[in-house]
Structures are given as C-alpha cells and as structure tokens.
Amino acid sequence: MKGIGIPWILLVVVSLLCFLVSSSAFSSTGLSDAEAARIRRRQLLSYRDEFGDRGESVRVPPSFKFPNDRLRNAYIALQAWKLAIFSDPKNLTGDWVGPNVCNYSNVFCAPLPSNASLIVVAGIDLNHGDIAGYLPEELSLLADLALFHINSNRFCGIIPHKFERLKLLFELDLSNNRFAGRFPDVVLRLPSLKFLDLRYNEFEGTVPKELFDKDLDAIFINDNRFVFDIPDNFGNSPVSVIVLANNRFHGCVPSSIGNMSRLNEILLLNNGLKSCIPAEIGRLKNLTVFDVSFNELVGPLPDSFGGMLSLEQLDVAHNLLSGAIPKSICQLPRLKNFTYSYNIFTG
Ligand SMILES: *[C@@H]1O[C@H](CO)[C@@H](O)[C@H](O)[C@H]1NC(C)=O
Ligand SMILES: *[C@@H]1O[C@H](CO)[C@@H](O)[C@H](O)[C@H]1NC(C)=O
Ligand SMILES: *[C@@H]1O[C@H](CO)[C@@H](O)[C@H](O)[C@H]1NC(C)=O
Ligand SMILES: *[C@@H]1O[C@H](CO)[C@@H](O)[C@H](O)[C@H]1NC(C)=O
Ligand SMILES: *[C@@H]1O[C@H](CO)[C@@H](O)[C@H](O)[C@H]1NC(C)=O
Ligand SMILES: *[C@@H]1O[C@H](CO)[C@@H](O)[C@H](O)[C@H]1NC(C)=O
C-alpha cells in the first residue's frame, strides 16, 4: 500500500466532482426522486479494485449463452459500463440488453486476427454521445479491442490501470471529455497503440518522456493543463502528427526535432516555449504544417527553413523572433500561408 495515500485522496475528490457534475446534469433533465434514489443506491454498489479504480458488480443470468468466453467477458464489460453511465441523452446504449453483444449499437464485432473462427468485440464508437459517466475497470475485459472512440462525451474520472490488458488497442480517442488527474501512464503500456488522442480534457502535471520513445503515429494532447519541459528525446518520436498546443510546455524546442523524418504536422502554439528555433528543423522534408505561434521564442529564423520543401502553413506569429526573414522561406515551393506578425523582425 506504500505511496497510495495521496492518489487515493485525489480519486475520492475526482469521483466527488464526477458525481456533482452528473447530479447537476440530472437536475436539468428533471429526474424524479425515485430515479435519483436509484442512482444513489447504484453509486453505493460500485467498488474499488486493487488500484483504487472503480468497478461495477455484474451478474450474468445463467440462461444467457455466449458463442465464446470472450463475448461473455464483453457482456460483463458493457453491462458494467452501462451501470457506470449516469446520463445517455441520445440513448446510444439503449439497446445494450441481452447476451448478443454484437448486436448492440455502437459496438463492432470482428473475427479475432489470431484466430478467425472466434468473433470478438473489436471496436466501440460512442463519439458525440454527450454521455455522462465514468470508465469502470471491467472495460479491461474487452481484451480484443482495437478501437475505442468516445470523443465528445462527459466521461470523467481516470483511465483504469487495467486498460493495460488491451494488448490489441490501436486507436484510443478520449478527446473532449472531463478526464482529470495525471497523464494516464497506462497508455505507455499498450503495445499496439498508434493513435493517441487525449485533447480537450483536464489532465494536469507532467507528460512522461517515454511517450516520445513509443512507436506512435499520432499524438494529440493539446488543450489540457500539462506543465512540462519538452525533453531531448522528443525527436525519437516516429509520429507523423503531434499537437501539444494550449498547455504549458516550457523550455526549448530541442534540436532532436530534426530527426522526426516522418513528421507531417506539428502544432506547438501557446505554450510558453523559450529558446531559438534550431537549424535542424530544415531536415523535415515532409513537414506541411509548422505552428509555434504564441510562445516566447527568440533569435532569428534559421536559413535552413528553406529545406522544408513540403511546407504549406508556417505560423511563427506572437513570439520575440528577430533579425531578417530568410529569403529561403519565400522560395518554399508549396508555402500557402506564412504568418509572422507580432515579432521584432527587421526588414
Ligand atoms: C432507448 O432505446 C431502447 C432500445 O432501442 C428503447 O427500448 C427505449 O425506449 C429507448 N429509451 C428512450 C428514452 O428513448
Ligand atoms: C441481431 O439483430 C438482427 C436484426 O435486428 C437479428 O435479425 C438477429 O437475429 C440478431 N442476432 C442475434 C444473435 O440476436
Ligand atoms: C480457434 O478457436 C477455436 C474455437 O475456440 C478453437 O477450437 C481452435 O483451436 C482455435 N484455433 C487456434 C489456432 O488457436
Ligand atoms: C538523431 O538521430 C541520430 C541517429 O539515431 C542520433 O545519433 C542523434 O544523436 C540524434 N540527434 C539528436 C539531436 O538527438
Ligand atoms: C515523405 O513523403 C513521401 C511522399 O509523400 C513519402 O514517399 C516518404 O516515404 C515520406 N518520408 C518519410 C520518412 O516518411
Ligand atoms: C493563415 O494562418 C493564420 C493562422 O495560422 C490564420 O489566422 C489565417 O486565417 C490564415 N490565412 C489564410 C489566407 O488561410
């Protein structure tokens, strides 16, 4: 139990907040006293697992038959999730009833890649559901999940530790929800993950530098409350898109950025970055969008900008950049939009 004290308190605060947010959502939809009492009883039935993550007790009716154990587990996971949902205004989970989970709306089944004779739950897409609730630890029973998309809902709390069991998870989109707390380290332990979208939540604290050593194709962590110095291993990341905008990433743009050969778009705007823009930037031949506006970058724009032959959009506005704008930028063959206002350029 060593070291569990503080996170536990945080969890309690987070779940209290969760409850307050969802109860205020109820009052606007006019919940009857009986319904409110039922929900309060439900809240008491949830439990904490060994990590302090919340779960729900689901009983499988003995009459239910499942084609395989994976679909039985999926039933438990989805029913637990239904219990952890306080409000589903579009009724997206309304037909999550009975043993045929592959017939549930917004749940997608497919043959298991390693054994095509097994049908499993491979994807969940509840995007734009406006659903309020939390993610119970039972969701980790969806061991064959490749896609998990829940953007634009009102899920709160944290990402359960047991998500590390989702060994096939390829796309994780939790954007535009109310998740809080520290960076969900569990995503670093998802071996198949390629697409990570945590933007527009309330995550805070630092971002582990291991994120940039992970074999990801896209990282969106913008519009949170991360506070962080961009580490030197940033350039190890093989991403094609990375968006860190609107956090408080301080420090320098590391010269290792020149090693990100697959990079197509990078948005670092509004973070409080200090330092110069390193000359290595010119090695990014495939970069089409580069936005470092609204920071505190200093020094001249390096002449090597001319090397970014694919560049279409370049925004360096609202910094403290100085010197002359290199001619090589104006000669970039694909440049469509170059914004450089609010600096101290000469000439
Ligand atoms: C939600 O959907 C289920 C199943 O489709 C239906 O039985 C139920 O009446 C719906 N509830 C509301 C409030 O529309
Ligand atoms: C799934 O739904 C379809 C159409 O509603 C129905 O024909 C089919 O029998 C259902 N499958 C199962 C296994 O319940
Ligand atoms: C695939 O799954 C089926 C059904 O569970 C099982 O009988 C079979 O042995 C499995 N095949 C392999 C190659 O694991
Ligand atoms: C770029 O990658 C090379 C080869 O992996 C490595 O030797 C070098 O140190 C890296 N540059 C930076 C600035 O990290
Ligand atoms: C850069 O883009 C070209 C053309 O789209 C592509 O063929 C090439 O593989 C890309 N390079 C890298 C390192 O991704
Ligand atoms: C150019 O980019 C800036 C910000 O990056 C944007 O405000 C502006 O509308 C763009 N201009 C055009 C013509 O697309």
Side-chain angles (χ1 to χ4, degrees), residues 2 34 69 149 151 169-170 173 191 198 204 208 241 270 287 293 313-314 321 339:
K2 188 160 62 94
D69 282 349
H149 291 179
N151 91 48
L169 194 62
F170 184 80
D173 181 355
L198 302 179
E204 60 190 29
V241 181
N270 193 20
L287 193 66
S293 59
Q313 303 207 34
L314 172 59
L321 297 163
T339 311

Side-chain angles (χ1 to χ4, degrees), residues 68 114-118:
N68 60 58
S114 58
N115 184 345
S117 66
L118 285 171

Side-chain angles (χ1 to χ4, degrees), residues 121-186:
V121 172
I124 291 183
D125 186 339
L126 288 174
N127 284 350
H128 302 281
D130 197 25
I131 295 172
Y134 73 96
L135 304 183
E137 58 111 1
E138 282 84 359
L139 282 174
S140 62
L141 290 170
L142 295 168
D144 310 302
L145 209 56
L147 309 183
F148 189 70
H149 291 179
I150 55 168
N151 91 48
S152 305
N153 284 287
R154 293 174 286 150
F155 287 108
C156 56
I158 60 163
I159 317 309
H161 289 70
K162 286 185 184 153
F163 259 49
E164 68 186 18
R165 295 182 182 167
L166 308 183
K167 299 292 185 217
L168 303 180
L169 194 62
F170 184 80
E171 292 190 14
L172 178 61
D173 181 355
L174 306 177
S175 60
N176 200 17
N177 276 286
R178 294 175 182 170
F179 293 109
R182 302 184 63 78
F183 183 91
D185 282 356
V186 62

Side-chain angles (χ1 to χ4, degrees), residues 71 74 78 101-102 107-110 119-124 142 144-146:
L71 290 177
L78 295 170
V101 295
C102 293
V107 173
F108 303 95
C109 289
I119 300 297
V120 299
V121 172
I124 291 183
L142 295 168
D144 310 302
L145 209 56

Side-chain angles (χ1 to χ4, degrees), residues 9-23:
I9 289 171
L10 274 177
L11 275 175
V12 172
V13 172
V14 163
S15 36
L16 268 177
L17 282 175
C18 232
F19 187 68
L20 289 177
V21 167
S22 38
S23 8

